[in-house]
Structures are given as structure tokens and as C-alpha cells.
Amino acid sequence: MGQSLLGVFLAVGLNVRIGGDVAGSRNMGGQGMMCMGVRVFHAACFAGKVRVLVGSRELFCGLDYGQVSDCGKVGAGFRNISVISEDTGEELMCETMPFFGGRRVTLALLNTMGCMILVPMEDCICGEAKGRACLRAANFSCGEGPFDLALASGETIFPYLIQARVSSFIPALPGTYDFVVREAGRESFREAEANFCLDALPGQNYTICVLGTKDGEVPISVKIL
């Protein structure tokens, strides 16, 4: 049984906003640096292996569903990002995005409303509290949800995650937490879509990503970045 995150928040006296719409913290250093650290998380169901290009430069290749790339560097400024199917050579997506020097970001690739999009998630540690982990959650399932992420003890920690939504980071004391993924608003754990265990270490951030479809073709699962 995982310990109570809600109790942890009350004990440390932090002002926590659960389930916000902003992914990441604004307190980032190194603004004068000219490159941004970028990795890509492939969460687009049925897309197969892809290549990711910045302009005409290949940044990553051979990225399959559920995989996260290593971290590459992209120069600061507005850049064209293209995603190419390695099976067919088809351009699956192309859009222009801003990149900021001295920061790190994970770009989640997913399908929504019949098109492919990239969801940026800034990678940083929440707040200034030392000795704590930082958690956030995202619904990258294929048109499923909304979902709640709750502890096995009953507390809902990340409520009402609609598709493509990324919560704010929240702080937690280090330890082992037992989570379940369930349909939003349900109180029963008997029909949980997935359950998983998270070992939270101090000074680390974790993004809990819900993947898959409820029809069983790609079972609902969790990937922790």
C-alpha cells in the first residue's frame, strides 16, 4: 500500500495546485545558452517507427511506439519539426515550434482528433524544496479518458485527465507509491484500467503517461518518464 501523497503535501506545508494546465516550472536558469535539450516520446498509436527532423537535419530515427529518444540539441529560435514514417516515407506531421536556450523539453508525439500533434513538456524540478521528488501526469491514450490517477489507498492525486492534457508538477516525499488508473469520477478500484508502482527518489522528476486504447488492441498501460 502506497503512502498518502495528500498527507505528505499537508505535512510539508506546500501550496500545491493539482491538475493544472501548465507543464513544468517557469523557474529555469541558463537563459543565455544557445541550445535547448530535446527528446521525443512516441505516444502515437498505430504510427509505427518514425524519424524526427528539425528543418532538414535528422534529430532521431527508428523511434517506435512507447519509446523515448535520447536527448538531442536544437538551436534556440523557431524551428520546423517534421515527423516521417519509416515504413512509408509519408510526412505524418510538420509544424513550427519555439525553442528556448538553456532549457530541456520532452516532445510527446500523439494522435488526436484524426491528426498528429506534438505536446511539449518542459523538464524541470518543481519548486525549491530539497529532498523531494516531483510528479506530474499526462493522458496520451488514443482518444480515451478522462482518467483519474489515484493511490491504492483511495486518494485521487491527478483528477480528470483528458486526452493530451499534462498536469502541473507536484512535490512528494521520497518513497514507494501504488497508483491505479481509472475512469474519471469512479470510486471503485475493481474496474481500474491499469495499476503500477512508482519508486520516487529525491531530486528527480517523473512524468506518468497513460497510453493505449480501451478496446484492447493497444491495452491501457503506463510509461514513466
Side-chain angles (χ1 to χ4, degrees):
M1 181 69 69
Q3 57 181 297
S4 172
L5 279 175
L6 294 181
V8 167
F9 302 148
L10 293 174
V12 298
L14 295 172
N15 181 19
V16 177
R17 179 166 61 88
I18 296 178
D21 296 321
V22 179
S25 167
R26 297 179 183 178
N27 184 19
M28 296 293 293
Q31 299 303 308
M33 299 176 64
M34 298 305 295
C35 289
M36 187 175 200
V38 178
R39 62 178 181 171
V40 175
F41 176 44
H42 187 343
C45 291
F46 315 117
K49 290 186 178 182
V50 299
R51 298 163 53 220
V52 180
L53 283 70
V54 177
S56 60
R57 178 172 69 96
E58 184 177 89
L59 190 63
F60 306 112
C61 65
L63 197 61
D64 210 347
Y65 180 69
Q67 293 181 338
V68 60
S69 71
D70 294 330
C71 189
K73 292 184 178 180
V74 176
F78 284 86
R79 308 293 178 192
N80 290 326
I81 304 293
S82 302
V83 178
I84 310 295
S85 169
E86 290 203 345
D87 295 328
T88 66
E90 176 187 2
E91 184 179 76
L92 303 176
M93 189 215 71
C94 181
E95 65 177 77
T96 301
M97 300 183 64
F99 293 87
F100 303 95
R103 300 186 182 185
R104 290 171 59 96
V105 67
T106 297
L107 300 177
L109 173 67
L110 67 151
N111 294 321
T112 179
M113 299 296 291
C115 65
M116 185 172 288
I117 64 172
L118 282 173
V119 177
M121 302 186 293
E122 194 167 311
D123 295 326
C124 53
I125 295 297
C126 57
E128 301 297 333
K130 295 182 179 180
R132 292 181 173 80
C134 292
L135 280 62
R136 67 181 169 188
N139 180 1
F140 293 151
S141 64
C142 298
E144 304 294 347
F147 293 114
D148 290 340
L149 264 67
L151 292 177
S153 56
E155 299 103 323
T156 297
I157 305 302
F158 297 103
Y160 210 81
L161 292 170
I162 62 174
Q163 188 189 26
R165 185 185 184 191
V166 183
S167 78
S168 298
F169 275 117
I170 56 176
L173 290 176
T176 299
Y177 298 97
D178 298 319
F179 278 98
V180 297
V181 180
R182 62 187 183 193
E183 290 186 15
R186 284 185 176 269
E187 296 183 358
S188 173
F189 289 89
R190 295 182 179 180
E191 299 180 13
E193 303 295 338
N195 54 74
F196 62 98
C197 180
L198 172 64
D199 293 321
L201 300 177
Q204 299 294 318
N205 61 342
Y206 301 90
T207 303
I208 303 167
C209 303
V210 181
L211 303 176
T213 63
K214 291 177 65 176
D215 60 12
E217 190 168 358
V218 182
I220 295 293
S221 63
V222 169
K223 174 82 172 184
I224 301 175
L225 303 181

